[in-house]
C-alpha cells in the first residue's frame, strides 16, 4: 500500500519545474557548504592591479572593481545569502505558527485582538518599515535577519489561524478535549500536525522572499557589509563603475544567482503546494 509520503513525492516529481527547482537549489546549497574547498581564490584577497578583469581561465567570472575573484565571492556569498534567508524563515515560521495557533484555537476576544495587530502590521508598507528597522541597527547579518523577522511572520500567522479555525471543531479535537488533554497538547499534537502542508509551502516561499529582501538591503548598504560577500552587496560594487555595460559581468553573475535561487525556491513551493493538496489528481 502506497504511503502518504510516497504519494506526495509521486505527485511532486510529476511537476518538472518543481524537480528542476529542487535540483538547482540543492546544488546552490551544496555550493555554499563546499565553498572553502571549491573556491579558486581567497574571497578576501583584493588585488587592485587585477580589478575589472573580464572572464578568463584564471577568473571564470572575472574580477570586481577591487580585484577580487567574482566566482569565489559568489560561492561565499551563497553561504551568507542562503543562511540569512533560511534563518529568517525559521524565525518567521516559528512566530507565525505559534501566534496563529493561539489566535485561532482560543478565538473570541483573544482572536479579535491578535488579528487586529496582524491587520495593523499588514496594512503598513512593510518594506519601508523593514528599511527603518535596518537603518536603526548596525548593518550586518543579524540586522537583516531581525529586520526580516519583525514584519515577516504575519502571513504565516493568518494562514495558520484560518486553518485552525476549521480544524478545531473536528471530532478528534473534541474527543481530545473531553479526555482532559491540555490546550497546549491539543495544539501541538493534534492540530498543527494536520496542517503541516500549508506551513511547509509558505515556509518555502518565504525563503525566496528573504533572498530578495536580503539582496535589496545589502544592495542599499543596510545589510551585509564588505568585505563579507553576499549576492546583494556584490551588486553594489557595480554602481561605482563609470559604465556598467563595459563591465557587465560584475553585475550579471551575482544577479543571475539571485534569480536562480528565487526561481528554484518558487518552483519548489508551487510543486509542494500541488503535491500536498489531497484533492490533487495529478
Amino acid at each position: 500500500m502506497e504511503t502518504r509520503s510516497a504519494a506526495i513525492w509521486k505527485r511532486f516529481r510529476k511537476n518538472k519545474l518543481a524537480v528542476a527547482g529542487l535540483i538547482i537549489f540543492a546544488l546552490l546549497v551544496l555550493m555554499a557548504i563546499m565553498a572553502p574547498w571549491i573556491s579558486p581564490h581567497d574571497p578576501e584577497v583584493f588585488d587592485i592591479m587585477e580589478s575589472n578583469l573580464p572572464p578568463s581561465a584564471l577568473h571564470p567570472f572575472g574580477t570586481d572593481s577591487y580585484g577580487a575573484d567574482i566566482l569565489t565571492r559568489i560561492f561565499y556569498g551563497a553561504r551568507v545569502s542562503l543562511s540569512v534567508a533560511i534563518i529568517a524563515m525559521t524565525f518567521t515560521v516559528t512566530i507565525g505558527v505559534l501566534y496563529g495557533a493561539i489566535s485561532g484555537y482560543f478565538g473570541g476576544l483573544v482572536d479579535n485582538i491578535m488579528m487586529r495587530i496582524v491587520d495593523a502590521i499588514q496594512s503598513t508598507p512593510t518594506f519601508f518599515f523593514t528599511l527603518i528597522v535596518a537603518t536603526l541597527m548596525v548593518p550586518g547579518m543579524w540586522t537583516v535577519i531581525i529586520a526580516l523577522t519583525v514584519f515577516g511572520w504575519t502571513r504565516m500567522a493568518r494562514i495558520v489561524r484560518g486553518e485552525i479555525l476549521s480544524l478545531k471543531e473536528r471530532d478528534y479535537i473534541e474527543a481530545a478535549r473531553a479526555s482532559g488533554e491540555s490546550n497546549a497538547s491539543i495544539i501541538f499534537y493534534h492540530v498543527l500536525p494536520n496542517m503541516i502542508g500549508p506551513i511547509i509551502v509558505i515556509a518555502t516561499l518565504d525563503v525566496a522572499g528573504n533572498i530578495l529582501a536580503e539582496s535589496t538591503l545589502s544592495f542599499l548598504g543596510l545589510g551585509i557589509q564588505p568585505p563579507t560577500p553576499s549576492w546583494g552587496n556584490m551588486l553594489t560594487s557595480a554602481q561605482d563603475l563609470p559604465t556598467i555595460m563595459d563591465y557587465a559581468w560584475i553585475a550579471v553573475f551575482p544577479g543571475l544567482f539571485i534569480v536562480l535561487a528565487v526561481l528554484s525556491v518558487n518552483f519548489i513551493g508551487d510543486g509542494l503546494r500541488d503535491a500536498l493538496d489531497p484533492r490533487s489528481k495529478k
Side-chain angles (χ1 to χ4, degrees):
M1 184 176 179
E2 188 177 51
T3 63
R4 184 170 184 267
S5 58
I8 290 172
W9 170 245
K10 183 177 180 180
R11 288 195 293 267
F12 180 86
R13 70 185 183 186
K14 288 183 178 180
N15 188 324
K16 303 304 181 184
L17 286 177
V19 173
L22 181 62
I23 293 171
I24 292 172
F25 191 72
L27 290 174
L28 291 175
V29 171
L30 182 62
M31 178 185 77
I33 294 172
M34 299 295 294
W37 297 278
I38 64 176
S39 298
H41 299 276
D42 189 320
E44 296 186 4
V45 169
F46 304 92
D47 186 352
I48 198 66
M49 300 301 294
E50 294 191 350
S51 62
N52 300 326
L53 293 180
S56 63
L58 182 60
H59 302 287
F61 285 3
T63 64
D64 61 18
S65 53
Y66 301 103
D69 180 69
I70 292 177
L71 177 60
T72 296
R73 289 180 67 79
I74 283 176
F75 286 160
Y76 278 86
R79 308 185 101 191
V80 175
S81 295
L82 295 181
S83 294
V84 167
I86 293 171
I87 294 172
M89 177 272 291
T90 302
F91 287 162
T92 56
V93 167
T94 301
I95 296 171
V97 167
L98 292 176
Y99 192 96
I102 294 170
S103 177
Y105 183 79
F106 290 102
L109 181 61
V110 172
D111 181 44
N112 284 331
I113 293 174
M114 295 180 73
M115 282 300 104
R116 295 301 75 76
I117 294 173
V118 171
D119 290 340
I121 294 174
Q122 291 190 324
S123 66
T124 61
T126 303
F127 186 70
F128 174 73
F129 283 101
T130 301
L131 288 178
I132 293 177
V133 172
T135 302
L136 294 175
M137 302 175 68
V138 177
M141 177 174 172
W142 284 102
T143 294
V144 177
I145 292 172
I146 292 171
L148 295 178
T149 302
V150 168
F151 299 101
W153 56 270
T154 54
R155 179 172 65 160
M156 178 65 77
R158 186 173 290 281
I159 290 173
V160 169
R161 179 251 187 185
E163 290 288 331
I164 285 185
L165 286 176
S166 66
L167 288 174
K168 70 176 185 178
E169 303 302 331
R170 301 285 178 87
D171 290 342
Y172 66 91
I173 301 297
E174 294 296 337
R177 287 198 193 100
S179 67
E181 285 196 50
S182 65
N183 290 326
S185 176
I186 293 173
I187 290 173
F188 286 103
Y189 292 104
H190 297 286
V191 177
L192 291 180
N194 285 284
M195 51 178 302
I196 194 68
I199 292 174
I200 290 175
V201 172
I202 298 301
T204 304
L205 297 177
D206 278 352
V207 172
N210 290 341
I211 292 171
L212 277 179
E214 180 279 321
S215 298
T216 303
L217 290 174
S218 296
F219 177 75
L220 295 174
L222 300 173
I224 313 302
Q225 299 297 298
T228 303
S230 82
W231 292 338
N233 69 24
M234 289 180 69
L235 292 175
T236 306
S237 63
Q239 295 182 101
D240 301 328
L241 299 172
T243 167
I244 188 62
M245 294 308 296
D246 292 337
Y247 309 98
W249 60 88
I250 296 178
V252 167
F253 289 116
L256 177 62
F257 276 84
I258 293 172
V259 171
L260 280 175
V262 172
L263 285 179
S264 65
V265 174
N266 279 328
F267 289 150
I268 293 170
D270 289 341
L272 286 173
R273 182 180 58 202
D274 294 338
L276 291 168
D277 184 358
R279 293 167 296 182
S280 175
K281 300 300 182 183
K282 296 181 180 181

